[in-house]
Amino acid sequence: MTRSPARLIARYALSALLIGFASCSYAGKQNDTLVYASDNEVENISPYHNTLREGVIISSLAWDRLIYRDPKTGEYKPQLAASWQWESPLVLTLHLRKGVKFHNGDDFSADDVVYTFTKIAGDNTASVMPQSVNWIKKTEKIDDYTIKLHLEKPFPAALEYLSGPTPILPAKYFEQVKLAGFSKAPIGTGPYKITKVTPAQGISMEKNPDYFKDSPGGQPKIGKLQFVVIRDPETRLAQLMTGQVDWIWRVPADQMSSLAMMPNITVKSGETMRIGFLALNTHAGGPGGEPFKDLRVRQAVNYAINRKAMVDNLVGGGSQPVYSACFSAQTACDASKVIKYEYDPEKAKQLLAQAGYPDGFDTDIWAYRERDYAEAIIGDLRKVGIRARLHYVQYTVLSADLISGKAPMAVRTWGSYSINDASAFVTPYFGGKGDDIWKDAEVTGLLSKADETLDPQQRSARYADLLGRISAQAYLAPLFSYSTNYAFTADLNFDSWPDELPRFALASWK
């Protein structure tokens, strides 16, 4: 029998009183140490070699970008680049900031930008996010503090990408230690420096005393940060209440009201640009995969899922049903030609019968987080005759099994790497590489044309065609926008943002 959230919280509150906050606390304002916990481990801390949200958070703390996007205004400001100008639609010149040092004391220069974009990121490297820079044809060093980016084709989202998934790594140090050494002892130019990496446990950081004074993000205020991996949600909650942890997220919606009544804890929630979706594998093998080659089956899955019920009963906090392959507020996310697959189980059954499955079929579904969401989807599918067995695995296993064709269906999420442009969602899954399990030539062609269109209205129109094609083929079953629920010590000043990036460098103690 499932225990109620209120009873769980009451039980842990009593435990906290019995243990005593002071006796077990190693976190918090008194020690100037913010301990934040999550359920996922970053297997490789290098920002170009993981795609987990936890990796994005750490990346924002330890590494700077050439350009900074103000989270309040959306304005692009100088960070490692002191200024920039477009020489033509295909050439961007950036003048780099002088006097910036990496955490080991090495000077930052143009060599680091060239090395990062050509040796660490992009195609033909070990990067898991080659689309971060593969819109750049050549990174040219003009002098020690000037570079020119020569683009493959016009790319209107260039400044957005330079402010997001393109942190600058140290050329000299990386060349010495290689990726294996860098993942154990990484350095950057960011507001916090990483002091310890403990596999399967967490990462320790401390304020960078030499962080450059003109950073648009300001100076960090909290002395030490510690990221800890706690996979069990009840344990994360218990440690927050006993003061061993200061900040947690992805708190179940049904626990938020009870937590809000606790005087030592603050809660926040809101819609984010992260989208949950079902990937429907058209190239999966075996009896459970064969049905998904039929468009009518994929459409049936879309009609079978009660998105509104999931939003209302599971996600909450501002979440909305989603039907397109991007977040509504992202630039060029034009859903005008997207099919809105409303909940219609009878229509789903009709489509399954037309496809030759009047009694449904047995299959498998993969998931790596929010098991209760996956179980709700399984329940909806079962109502129309699709009997799915859950495989609850690590993210890397899920991704590999989709690519190999072993997984016919998987629950995925994507936060667009906090990039406020529709290309950040579509390109990783429909760009013809990596996680693109469909390899639809029409889709990749439409994407290529859309992303070289500089006129905003024309680009949105082309994205409308692109998103319409993805929807018509029902390659995905988009589900909902995530609402991230945060709970943290009342001693902390913390703001949440729709891009799902907790900016701990802007946080402070009360």
Side-chain angles (χ1 to χ4, degrees):
M1 181 176 177
T2 303
R3 291 165 291 183
S4 72
R7 290 181 63 188
L8 279 174
I9 291 174
R11 189 185 73 176
Y12 288 129
L14 177 60
S15 299
L17 290 173
L18 292 173
I19 295 171
F21 283 93
S23 64
C24 65
S25 176
Y26 57 81
K29 182 177 180 179
Q30 183 177 359
N31 296 324
D32 196 19
T33 302
L34 171 61
V35 179
Y36 63 105
S38 190
D39 56 346
N40 282 316
E41 176 192 1
V42 181
E43 294 185 0
N44 191 320
I45 196 172
S46 170
Y48 289 101
H49 302 92
N50 76 82
T51 58
L52 283 177
R53 175 58 40 170
E54 288 75 11
V56 178
I57 298 169
I58 294 164
S59 172
S60 72
L61 297 166
W63 291 278
D64 288 319
R65 280 73 176 154
L66 292 170
I67 295 172
Y68 178 85
R69 175 164 54 82
D70 190 310
K72 294 181 179 178
T73 66
E75 180 184 359
Y76 297 116
K77 297 180 178 180
Q79 194 168 52
L80 290 179
S83 63
W84 59 87
Q85 70 267 355
W86 287 98
E87 307 291 346
S88 74
L90 293 178
V91 180
L92 176 63
T93 298
L94 298 105
H95 303 281
L96 307 181
R97 193 181 296 273
K98 299 178 180 179
V100 176
K101 293 184 178 294
F102 285 97
H103 296 149
N104 66 345
D106 287 349
D107 291 327
F108 159 73
S109 73
D111 291 331
D112 302 301
V113 180
V114 173
Y115 187 88
T116 297
F117 288 176
T118 59
K119 301 293 186 180
I120 299 175
D123 294 326
N124 304 314
T125 71
S127 171
V128 296
M129 281 285 290
Q131 61 269 23
S132 297
V133 299
N134 64 9
W135 47 275
I136 302 172
K137 182 178 182 179
K138 179 183 178 182
T139 305
E140 179 187 7
K141 175 183 175 181
I142 304 303
D143 58 41
D144 285 346
Y145 293 97
T146 308
I147 62 166
K148 283 185 185 289
L149 299 182
H150 299 267
L151 278 58
E152 290 279 359
K153 55 188 177 183
F155 187 54
L159 298 185
E160 179 67 21
Y161 275 66
L162 292 177
S163 70
T166 51
I168 305 303
L169 276 56
K172 180 180 177 182
Y173 180 75
F174 197 98
E175 186 65 25
Q176 290 172 346
V177 302
K178 306 301 182 185
L179 177 58
F182 192 79
S183 65
K184 297 175 183 177
I187 63 170
T189 61
Y192 283 90
K193 54 184 179 180
I194 296 169
T195 57
K196 187 177 182 180
V197 178
T198 307
Q201 295 184 32
I203 295 161
S204 298
M205 289 166 274
E206 63 182 37
K207 184 164 58 176
N208 177 8
D210 300 316
Y211 192 53
F212 63 95
K213 303 303 179 186
D214 295 329
S215 169
Q219 295 297 305
K221 300 175 180 64
I222 295 175
K224 295 181 180 180
L225 304 177
Q226 187 170 354
F227 166 64
V228 295
V229 179
I230 305 176
R231 299 197 185 279
D232 180 62
E234 294 184 8
T235 304
R236 287 198 301 276
L237 177 62
Q239 293 202 11
L240 174 69
M241 297 176 65
T242 57
Q244 296 175 79
V245 164
D246 296 301
W247 183 97
I248 63 175
W249 65 348
R250 299 169 184 158
V251 179
D254 61 358
Q255 294 182 358
M256 292 292 280
S257 59
S258 298
L259 283 171
M261 297 189 314
M262 296 189 155
N264 63 313
I265 294 175
T266 299
V267 297
K268 282 188 176 183
S269 64
E271 186 184 23
T272 74
M273 63 196 299
R274 175 171 295 275
I275 300 296
F277 63 96
L278 267 181
L280 307 177
N281 199 340
T282 56
H283 300 288
E290 188 67 26
F292 293 98
K293 297 177 182 179
D294 192 308
L295 172 61
R296 293 166 294 188
V297 171
R298 301 196 301 273
Q299 291 174 328
V301 170
N302 271 272
Y303 283 118
I305 298 170
N306 193 339
R307 295 165 175 82
K308 189 174 188 306
M310 293 191 72
V311 164
D312 292 343
N313 301 322
L314 288 175
V315 190
S319 170
Q320 298 290 329
V322 170
Y323 301 91
S324 63
C326 55
F327 180 62
S328 59
Q330 286 180 308
T331 300
C333 183
D334 187 332
S336 60
K337 296 184 179 180
V338 165
I339 299 171
K340 194 172 184 180
Y341 292 97
E342 296 282 12
Y343 179 53
D344 192 339
E346 290 306 314
K347 189 166 187 176
K349 291 177 183 178
Q350 292 170 11
L351 285 165
L352 289 174
Q354 292 170 17
Y357 302 99
D359 299 319
F361 59 90
D362 296 309
T363 188
D364 298 274
I365 185 171
W366 269 242
Y368 76 100
R369 57 184 281 180
E370 286 104 16
R371 192 183 189 112
D372 52 341
Y373 295 3
E375 289 172 347
I377 292 167
I378 290 171
D380 282 344
L381 294 176
R382 184 169 290 274
K383 290 175 185 176
V384 302
I386 300 175
R387 299 172 292 275
R389 181 182 61 165
L390 177 61
H391 296 254
Y392 196 71
V393 299
Q394 294 292 320
Y395 171 80
T396 52
V397 175
L398 178 147
S399 179
D401 286 351
L402 273 173
I403 293 170
S404 70
K406 182 178 180 181
M409 184 167 43
V411 186
R412 306 204 70 166
T413 79
W414 187 243
S416 295
Y417 235 65
S418 298
I419 301 169
N420 193 34
D421 191 89
S423 64
F425 190 108
V426 179
T427 303
Y429 296 104
F430 294 97
K433 301 175 182 178
D435 284 319
D436 184 353
I437 58 175
W438 302 280
K439 305 287 194 303
D440 183 326
E442 183 174 340
V443 168
T444 54
L446 288 168
L447 176 60
S448 178
K449 290 179 181 177
D451 279 341
E452 63 183 61
T453 303
L454 294 176
D455 180 85
Q457 290 185 335
Q458 290 182 17
R459 185 168 184 251
S460 289
R462 287 184 168 176
Y463 257 94
D465 293 336
L466 165 64
L467 296 170
R469 167 70 180 179
I470 294 169
S471 175
Q473 290 299 306
Y475 292 135
L476 309 177
L479 301 172
F480 49 78
S481 59
Y482 268 72
S483 172
T484 298
N485 298 320
Y486 307 89
F488 48 92
T489 174
D491 287 333
L492 183 67
N493 289 309
F494 171 79
D495 289 323
S496 60
W497 307 93
D499 62 7
E500 204 186 12
L501 180 58
R503 290 170 168 83
F504 293 122
L506 300 181
S508 62
W509 300 118
K510 292 180 180 178

mmCIF file of all heavy atoms in Angstrom, residues 438-461:
data_model
loop_
_atom_site.group_PDB
_atom_site.id
_atom_site.type_symbol
_atom_site.label_atom_id
_atom_site.label_comp_id
_atom_site.label_asym_id
_atom_site.label_seq_id
_atom_site.Cartn_x
_atom_site.Cartn_y
_atom_site.Cartn_z
ATOM 1 N N TRP A 438 15.061 7.817 -36.724
ATOM 2 C CA TRP A 438 14.119 7.760 -37.844
ATOM 3 C C TRP A 438 14.792 8.026 -39.191
ATOM 4 O O TRP A 438 14.433 7.442 -40.192
ATOM 5 C CB TRP A 438 12.979 8.751 -37.612
ATOM 6 C CG TRP A 438 12.264 8.464 -36.325
ATOM 7 C CD1 TRP A 438 11.307 7.508 -36.115
ATOM 8 C CD2 TRP A 438 12.482 9.104 -35.070
ATOM 9 N NE1 TRP A 438 10.906 7.520 -34.797
ATOM 10 C CE2 TRP A 438 11.607 8.495 -34.129
ATOM 11 C CE3 TRP A 438 13.315 10.133 -34.618
ATOM 12 C CZ2 TRP A 438 11.565 8.871 -32.788
ATOM 13 C CZ3 TRP A 438 13.270 10.512 -33.288
ATOM 14 C CH2 TRP A 438 12.402 9.887 -32.392
ATOM 15 N N LYS A 439 15.756 8.936 -39.193
ATOM 16 C CA LYS A 439 16.507 9.260 -40.417
ATOM 17 C C LYS A 439 15.576 9.555 -41.596
ATOM 18 O O LYS A 439 15.716 9.010 -42.692
ATOM 19 C CB LYS A 439 17.468 8.121 -40.785
ATOM 20 C CG LYS A 439 18.438 7.699 -39.691
ATOM 21 C CD LYS A 439 19.524 8.701 -39.478
ATOM 22 C CE LYS A 439 20.684 8.154 -38.647
ATOM 23 N NZ LYS A 439 20.325 7.638 -37.325
ATOM 24 N N ASP A 440 14.612 10.436 -41.367
ATOM 25 C CA ASP A 440 13.649 10.829 -42.392
ATOM 26 C C ASP A 440 14.280 11.925 -43.252
ATOM 27 O O ASP A 440 14.511 13.038 -42.787
ATOM 28 C CB ASP A 440 12.370 11.332 -41.722
ATOM 29 C CG ASP A 440 11.268 11.700 -42.706
ATOM 30 O OD1 ASP A 440 11.580 12.186 -43.800
ATOM 31 O OD2 ASP A 440 10.084 11.526 -42.356
ATOM 32 N N ALA A 441 14.569 11.623 -44.512
ATOM 33 C CA ALA A 441 15.259 12.569 -45.392
ATOM 34 C C ALA A 441 14.454 13.847 -45.575
ATOM 35 O O ALA A 441 15.033 14.942 -45.689
ATOM 36 C CB ALA A 441 15.541 11.914 -46.739
ATOM 37 N N GLU A 442 13.137 13.743 -45.624
ATOM 38 C CA GLU A 442 12.316 14.943 -45.775
ATOM 39 C C GLU A 442 12.439 15.841 -44.549
ATOM 40 O O GLU A 442 12.537 17.064 -44.664
ATOM 41 C CB GLU A 442 10.850 14.567 -46.009
ATOM 42 C CG GLU A 442 9.954 15.782 -46.249
ATOM 43 C CD GLU A 442 8.536 15.420 -46.617
ATOM 44 O OE1 GLU A 442 8.300 14.275 -47.051
ATOM 45 O OE2 GLU A 442 7.643 16.291 -46.486
ATOM 46 N N VAL A 443 12.460 15.241 -43.370
ATOM 47 C CA VAL A 443 12.597 16.012 -42.132
ATOM 48 C C VAL A 443 13.951 16.702 -42.058
ATOM 49 O O VAL A 443 14.047 17.897 -41.766
ATOM 50 C CB VAL A 443 12.380 15.109 -40.900
ATOM 51 C CG1 VAL A 443 12.802 15.825 -39.626
ATOM 52 C CG2 VAL A 443 10.920 14.692 -40.802
ATOM 53 N N THR A 444 15.019 15.960 -42.340
ATOM 54 C CA THR A 444 16.355 16.565 -42.260
ATOM 55 C C THR A 444 16.516 17.666 -43.302
ATOM 56 O O THR A 444 17.188 18.669 -43.058
ATOM 57 C CB THR A 444 17.459 15.502 -42.427
ATOM 58 O OG1 THR A 444 17.245 14.765 -43.633
ATOM 59 C CG2 THR A 444 17.469 14.539 -41.251
ATOM 60 N N GLY A 445 15.896 17.494 -44.473
ATOM 61 C CA GLY A 445 15.955 18.535 -45.493
ATOM 62 C C GLY A 445 15.234 19.799 -45.064
ATOM 63 O O GLY A 445 15.733 20.914 -45.250
ATOM 64 N N LEU A 446 14.044 19.633 -44.483
ATOM 65 C CA LEU A 446 13.295 20.785 -43.983
ATOM 66 C C LEU A 446 14.049 21.492 -42.866
ATOM 67 O O LEU A 446 14.074 22.725 -42.792
ATOM 68 C CB LEU A 446 11.921 20.328 -43.481
ATOM 69 C CG LEU A 446 10.902 19.908 -44.545
ATOM 70 C CD1 LEU A 446 9.712 19.214 -43.898
ATOM 71 C CD2 LEU A 446 10.434 21.131 -45.347
ATOM 72 N N LEU A 447 14.696 20.712 -42.000
ATOM 73 C CA LEU A 447 15.464 21.295 -40.894
ATOM 74 C C LEU A 447 16.641 22.107 -41.423
ATOM 75 O O LEU A 447 16.912 23.222 -40.952
ATOM 76 C CB LEU A 447 15.959 20.182 -39.973
ATOM 77 C CG LEU A 447 16.871 20.595 -38.812
ATOM 78 C CD1 LEU A 447 16.169 21.571 -37.876
ATOM 79 C CD2 LEU A 447 17.331 19.355 -38.035
ATOM 80 N N SER A 448 17.331 21.573 -42.404
ATOM 81 C CA SER A 448 18.479 22.276 -42.974
ATOM 82 C C SER A 448 18.067 23.610 -43.583
ATOM 83 O O SER A 448 18.723 24.637 -43.366
ATOM 84 C CB SER A 448 19.145 21.391 -44.037
ATOM 85 O OG SER A 448 20.239 22.057 -44.634
ATOM 86 N N LYS A 449 16.961 23.625 -44.321
ATOM 87 C CA LYS A 449 16.487 24.864 -44.934
ATOM 88 C C LYS A 449 16.033 25.874 -43.878
ATOM 89 O O LYS A 449 16.304 27.069 -43.977
ATOM 90 C CB LYS A 449 15.347 24.569 -45.901
ATOM 91 C CG LYS A 449 15.774 23.835 -47.162
ATOM 92 C CD LYS A 449 14.584 23.543 -48.067
ATOM 93 C CE LYS A 449 15.007 22.796 -49.320
ATOM 94 N NZ LYS A 449 13.836 22.451 -50.176
ATOM 95 N N ALA A 450 15.346 25.385 -42.855
ATOM 96 C CA ALA A 450 14.839 26.283 -41.808
ATOM 97 C C ALA A 450 15.972 26.979 -41.074
ATOM 98 O O ALA A 450 15.895 28.178 -40.786
ATOM 99 C CB ALA A 450 13.971 25.503 -40.829
ATOM 100 N N ASP A 451 17.038 26.236 -40.807
ATOM 101 C CA ASP A 451 18.104 26.798 -39.983
ATOM 102 C C ASP A 451 19.137 27.607 -40.753
ATOM 103 O O ASP A 451 20.122 28.068 -40.173
ATOM 104 C CB ASP A 451 18.778 25.683 -39.174
ATOM 105 C CG ASP A 451 17.974 25.327 -37.939
ATOM 106 O OD1 ASP A 451 17.135 26.135 -37.529
ATOM 107 O OD2 ASP A 451 18.187 24.237 -37.372
ATOM 108 N N GLU A 452 18.924 27.802 -42.046
ATOM 109 C CA GLU A 452 19.771 28.746 -42.768
ATOM 110 C C GLU A 452 18.949 29.955 -43.228
ATOM 111 O O GLU A 452 19.430 30.791 -43.977
ATOM 112 C CB GLU A 452 20.440 28.070 -43.963
ATOM 113 C CG GLU A 452 19.496 27.554 -45.014
ATOM 114 C CD GLU A 452 20.214 26.835 -46.143
ATOM 115 O OE1 GLU A 452 20.875 25.819 -45.872
ATOM 116 O OE2 GLU A 452 20.132 27.319 -47.280
ATOM 117 N N THR A 453 17.717 30.039 -42.730
ATOM 118 C CA THR A 453 16.826 31.148 -43.080
ATOM 119 C C THR A 453 16.940 32.240 -42.031
ATOM 120 O O THR A 453 16.602 32.030 -40.868
ATOM 121 C CB THR A 453 15.366 30.659 -43.169
ATOM 122 O OG1 THR A 453 15.291 29.599 -44.126
ATOM 123 C CG2 THR A 453 14.447 31.785 -43.580
ATOM 124 N N LEU A 454 17.424 33.411 -42.422
ATOM 125 C CA LEU A 454 17.664 34.491 -41.470
ATOM 126 C C LEU A 454 16.398 35.267 -41.128
ATOM 127 O O LEU A 454 16.263 35.762 -40.010
ATOM 128 C CB LEU A 454 18.731 35.447 -42.026
ATOM 129 C CG LEU A 454 20.134 34.849 -42.184
ATOM 130 C CD1 LEU A 454 21.070 35.877 -42.830
ATOM 131 C CD2 LEU A 454 20.699 34.408 -40.854
ATOM 132 N N ASP A 455 15.489 35.410 -42.079
ATOM 133 C CA ASP A 455 14.265 36.146 -41.803
ATOM 134 C C ASP A 455 13.429 35.375 -40.776
ATOM 135 O O ASP A 455 13.078 34.207 -41.011
ATOM 136 C CB ASP A 455 13.455 36.323 -43.090
ATOM 137 C CG ASP A 455 12.168 37.089 -42.846
ATOM 138 O OD1 ASP A 455 12.218 38.334 -42.854
ATOM 139 O OD2 ASP A 455 11.127 36.438 -42.615
ATOM 140 N N PRO A 456 13.095 35.970 -39.632
ATOM 141 C CA PRO A 456 12.397 35.245 -38.559
ATOM 142 C C PRO A 456 11.055 34.665 -38.992
ATOM 143 O O PRO A 456 10.724 33.529 -38.617
ATOM 144 C CB PRO A 456 12.215 36.314 -37.475
ATOM 145 C CG PRO A 456 13.291 37.309 -37.728
ATOM 146 C CD PRO A 456 13.463 37.333 -39.217
ATOM 147 N N GLN A 457 10.272 35.415 -39.785
ATOM 148 C CA GLN A 457 8.964 34.906 -40.202
ATOM 149 C C GLN A 457 9.087 33.734 -41.166
ATOM 150 O O GLN A 457 8.354 32.746 -41.059
ATOM 151 C CB GLN A 457 8.150 36.037 -40.830
ATOM 152 C CG GLN A 457 7.694 37.104 -39.821
ATOM 153 C CD GLN A 457 6.781 38.141 -40.447
ATOM 154 O OE1 GLN A 457 6.819 38.369 -41.654
ATOM 155 N NE2 GLN A 457 5.958 38.765 -39.624
ATOM 156 N N GLN A 458 10.029 33.848 -42.089
ATOM 157 C CA GLN A 458 10.232 32.755 -43.035
ATOM 158 C C GLN A 458 10.758 31.515 -42.310
ATOM 159 O O GLN A 458 10.361 30.376 -42.617
ATOM 160 C CB GLN A 458 11.219 33.174 -44.127
ATOM 161 C CG GLN A 458 10.671 34.204 -45.091
ATOM 162 C CD GLN A 458 11.669 34.550 -46.185
ATOM 163 O OE1 GLN A 458 12.627 33.827 -46.412
ATOM 164 N NE2 GLN A 458 11.431 35.658 -46.860
ATOM 165 N N ARG A 459 11.625 31.733 -41.332
ATOM 166 C CA ARG A 459 12.171 30.604 -40.580
ATOM 167 C C ARG A 459 11.068 29.899 -39.791
ATOM 168 O O ARG A 459 10.995 28.664 -39.768
ATOM 169 C CB ARG A 459 13.277 31.086 -39.633
ATOM 170 C CG ARG A 459 13.994 29.950 -38.890
ATOM 171 C CD ARG A 459 15.239 30.463 -38.200
ATOM 172 N NE ARG A 459 15.979 29.372 -37.576
ATOM 173 C CZ ARG A 459 16.073 29.179 -36.257
ATOM 174 N NH1 ARG A 459 15.476 30.016 -35.425
ATOM 175 N NH2 ARG A 459 16.764 28.174 -35.770
ATOM 176 N N SER A 460 10.194 30.672 -39.156
ATOM 177 C CA SER A 460 9.081 30.079 -38.419
ATOM 178 C C SER A 460 8.159 29.292 -39.347
ATOM 179 O O SER A 460 7.669 28.210 -38.985
ATOM 180 C CB SER A 460 8.281 31.164 -37.694
ATOM 181 O OG SER A 460 9.020 31.694 -36.611
ATOM 182 N N ALA A 461 7.928 29.821 -40.553
ATOM 183 C CA ALA A 461 7.073 29.126 -41.517
ATOM 184 C C ALA A 461 7.683 27.786 -41.924
ATOM 185 O O ALA A 461 6.970 26.781 -42.079
ATOM 186 C CB ALA A 461 6.851 30.005 -42.744
#
